[in-house]
Amino acid sequence: MKVACTVWLGAKGVKASDLSRFLLKEEQTAAYSVEIWKRFRKWGGVPTGITQNIKDLLASREIENIFENSDFILMLNQAAGDRQILAKQLNISPYQLSYVTNSGEGEGLLFYGTTIIPFKDKFDKNLKLYSLMTTKPEEVEKREKEMEAEKHEGN
């Protein structure tokens, strides 16, 4: 089984990013996180990490190992300081960096091994599929209210 470890960079509005930051802040939990990451990969698992700022992730040499051993990275809009760090760490060209510089929704870079793929995905917000997949709190709340209303209409 092929295993891909994922680090989501620049994720917005995701509460898990705060949890990752706290887990990686203390030496003991950071060391434990690295060990679990390595074991899960060895066992065929797909460990996933989310961070809004790469500086948080790379504050520790141990945690840097997680980043360096990640086969798959999805990178969204990045702050200037984070872009500089990432450009150096991942050998990103200035052209490729434009996809994570003041980028809009659905724009970024995908990394798989040594392959870097820029993307711009404009998903039609009028589609039912969009309403089912969105993670924007206000849109999720709207969807849940609509589903509740439909449920009551059906009774």
Side-chain angles (χ1 to χ4, degrees):
M1 171 193 289
K2 181 108 176 121
V3 176
C5 292
T6 309
V7 177
W8 292 83
L9 303 173
K12 292 183 177 154
V14 181
K15 292 182 173 100
S17 64
D18 293 333
L19 179 59
S20 296
R21 183 171 54 90
F22 288 121
L23 281 175
L24 304 177
K25 188 176 180 180
E26 299 299 325
E27 186 177 331
Q28 184 176 5
T29 55
Y32 180 76
S33 297
V34 170
E35 183 62 28
I36 289 298
W37 191 275
K38 288 178 180 179
R39 286 187 189 199
F40 282 179
R41 288 190 71 191
K42 185 177 182 179
W43 298 332
V46 184
T48 303
I50 300 172
T51 186
Q52 286 187 337
N53 296 101
I54 195 65
K55 287 177 235 158
D56 293 338
L57 188 68
L58 300 179
S60 157
R61 179 65 194 137
E62 276 194 326
I63 299 304
E64 192 173 352
N65 289 329
I66 287 177
F67 182 70
E68 290 174 349
N69 287 304
S70 295
D71 299 323
F72 178 83
I73 298 171
L74 171 66
M75 186 184 305
L76 303 174
N77 191 43
Q78 298 293 309
D82 289 330
R83 279 195 310 272
Q84 291 173 351
I85 293 167
L86 291 163
K88 182 179 176 186
Q89 287 280 119
L90 298 170
N91 199 25
I92 305 171
S93 73
Y95 171 74
Q96 291 165 329
L97 275 180
S98 71
Y99 282 82
V100 293
T101 303
N102 300 319
S103 55
E105 294 176 350
E107 299 176 14
L109 294 171
L110 288 174
F111 295 77
Y112 184 72
T114 59
T115 304
I116 303 173
I117 304 168
F119 68 91
K120 287 188 178 184
D121 183 19
K122 301 299 178 200
F123 205 88
D124 186 349
K125 292 182 178 184
N126 295 318
L127 295 174
K128 179 76 172 172
L129 187 56
Y130 175 85
S131 72
L132 294 172
M133 294 188 321
T134 184
T135 58
K136 292 181 178 178
E138 65 277 3
E139 292 176 355
V140 170
E141 185 178 338
K142 179 183 174 190
R143 176 187 69 221
E144 289 172 352
K145 285 180 181 178
E146 288 172 355
M147 290 175 72
E148 191 64 31
E150 287 175 11
K151 194 163 86 172
H152 288 299
E153 287 175 10
N155 288 335

